[in-house]
């Protein structure tokens, strides 16, 4: 029987009901890990588990809202109860927030975006790290964004939260390196998940007439307009980001720590 690189390891992936999270969960399972799929979307999470099992892997779904401490604590506790350990985590759950200029962003949207994107990553690490300390090793990858490396007009809350993820990642990496735990981040660019269309092509329901007209043009020309801005003239795939996540969690990246890795087709190189 052929052994796989992640045989005997357990990986936890949040935001795994679709997109990058689903691709990451599938990638971990494909190389032998037992995977806990976490999300607030039960149907999507169940579908991810079904895909893993149909390919011969082992996985379980646990519903969790990463912005709620009790739910994250329960998520990690149930993961360990189910599989006995936690080796790797991809803290990926996130939202783009509502498209609006900074002064027009509501407090409600700011709080929601930061709670899921930044506080959620912190809460996950808060409960994941103690389990990894018990093993004397572990690897965590947090999902930031190219908006964590640069500004993003009309998505101030999103950009601020993703900048925060990088700062949090680097800080935790420094704190836990001596204990055998590595913490890195991926910074996806324009990835074909549906988020680009929702964020950049849709009109804000409360926007001005000019905003709505601009959004109408964007919606008409759609993906072509978005991809034309990319050096590779295409969107990336969730699977391409997942490969970076799995590599960062692997022994091949054993001396990579505190790094924010762009997976953006060269966008930040411009």
């Amino acid at each position: 029987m052929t052994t796989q690189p992640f045989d005997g390891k357990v990986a936890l992936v949040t935001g795994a009901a679709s997109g990058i999270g689903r691709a990451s969960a599938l990638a971990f399972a494909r190389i032998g890990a037992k995977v806990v799929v976490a999300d607030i979307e039960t149907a999507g999470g169940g579908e991810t588990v079904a895909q893993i099992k149909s390919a011969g892997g082992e996985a379980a779904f646990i519903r969790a809202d990463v912005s709620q401490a009790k739910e994250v604590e329960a998520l990690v506790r149930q993961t360990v109860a189910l599989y006995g350990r936690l080796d790797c985590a991809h803290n990926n759950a996130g939202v783009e927030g509502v498209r609006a200029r900074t002064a027009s962003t509501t407090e409600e949207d700011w709080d929601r975006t930061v709670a899921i994107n930044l506080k959620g990553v912190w809460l996950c690490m808060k409960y994941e790290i103690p389990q990894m300390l018990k093993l004397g090793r572990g690897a965590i990858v947090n999902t930031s964004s190219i908006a964590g490396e640069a500004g993003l007009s009309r998505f101030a809350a999103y950009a601020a939260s993703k900048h925060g993820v990088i700062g949090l990642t680097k800080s935790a990496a420094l704190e836990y390196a001596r204990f055998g735990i590595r913490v890195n981040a991926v910074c996806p660019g324009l990835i074909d998940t549906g988020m680009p269309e929702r964020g950049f092509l849709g009109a804000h329901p409360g926007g001005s007439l000019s905003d709505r007209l601009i959004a109408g043009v964007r919606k008409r020309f759609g993906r072509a307009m978005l991809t034309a801005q990319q050096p590779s003239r295409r969107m990336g795939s969730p699977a391409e980001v997942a490969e970076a996540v799995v590599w960062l969690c692997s022994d091949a990246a054993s001396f990579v720590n505190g790094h924010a890795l762009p997976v953006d087709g060269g966008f930040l190189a411009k």
Side-chain angles (χ1 to χ4, degrees):
M1 183 177 178
T2 304
T3 60
Q4 297 276 26
F6 278 57
D7 279 350
K9 292 187 176 182
V10 176
L12 168 61
V13 183
T14 67
S18 62
I20 292 170
R22 171 175 287 173
S24 176
L26 291 167
F28 275 118
R30 193 161 51 245
I31 56 174
K34 298 175 182 177
V35 182
V36 171
V37 171
D39 207 295
I40 59 169
E41 297 294 339
T42 303
E47 174 59 26
T48 300
V49 169
Q51 290 185 27
I52 290 172
K53 289 183 175 180
S54 69
E58 186 171 352
F61 173 72
I62 299 175
R63 188 189 185 282
D65 178 347
V66 297
S67 69
Q68 301 300 312
K70 289 183 179 179
E71 294 194 28
V72 177
E73 186 277 332
L75 168 63
V76 175
R77 175 166 38 82
Q78 290 173 50
T79 296
V80 175
L82 187 62
Y83 290 130
R85 58 191 290 151
L86 178 61
D87 299 274
C88 308
H90 180 198
N91 299 320
N92 170 74
V95 295
E96 68 269 28
V98 176
R99 182 175 177 271
R101 291 186 175 92
T102 300
S104 299
T105 299
T106 65
E107 184 176 4
E108 179 184 18
D109 184 56
W110 176 276
D111 288 347
R112 177 176 180 268
T113 303
V114 172
I116 295 170
N117 293 0
L118 180 55
K119 178 186 174 184
V121 170
W122 167 68
L123 283 173
C124 286
M125 289 203 297
K126 177 179 175 64
Y127 293 105
E128 292 160 355
I129 288 170
Q131 296 301 325
M132 294 178 179
L133 288 171
K134 293 177 183 178
L135 297 178
R137 62 175 295 165
I140 295 172
V141 177
N142 300 320
T143 297
S144 180
S145 167
I146 56 171
E149 299 273 16
L152 186 60
S153 178
R154 305 193 187 206
F155 288 93
Y158 180 80
S161 68
K162 293 302 186 177
H163 274 73
V165 168
I166 292 177
L168 180 59
T169 295
K170 291 178 180 289
S171 297
L174 292 173
E175 293 169 357
Y176 294 100
R178 70 188 65 184
F179 302 107
I181 299 171
R182 296 183 298 107
V183 187
N184 292 288
V186 287
C187 300
L190 193 69
I191 307 299
D192 194 5
T193 62
M195 185 179 284
E197 285 88 347
R198 290 196 306 270
F200 297 107
L201 302 181
H204 188 300
S208 66
L209 176 60
S210 62
D211 283 345
R212 292 196 296 274
L213 288 172
I214 291 169
V217 172
R218 284 175 169 159
K219 188 168 289 187
R220 180 179 177 184
F221 292 100
R223 296 167 65 93
M225 188 186 72
L226 292 175
T227 56
Q229 301 171 29
Q230 309 307 306
S232 58
R233 299 298 187 266
R234 69 175 180 89
M235 293 189 188
S237 71
E240 288 173 307
V241 181
E243 289 298 325
V245 171
V246 169
W247 177 76
L248 286 170
C249 287
S250 75
D251 290 340
S254 58
F255 205 56
V256 181
N257 192 31
H259 183 56
L261 175 64
V263 187
D264 66 348
F267 185 84
L268 289 176
K270 293 195 298 181

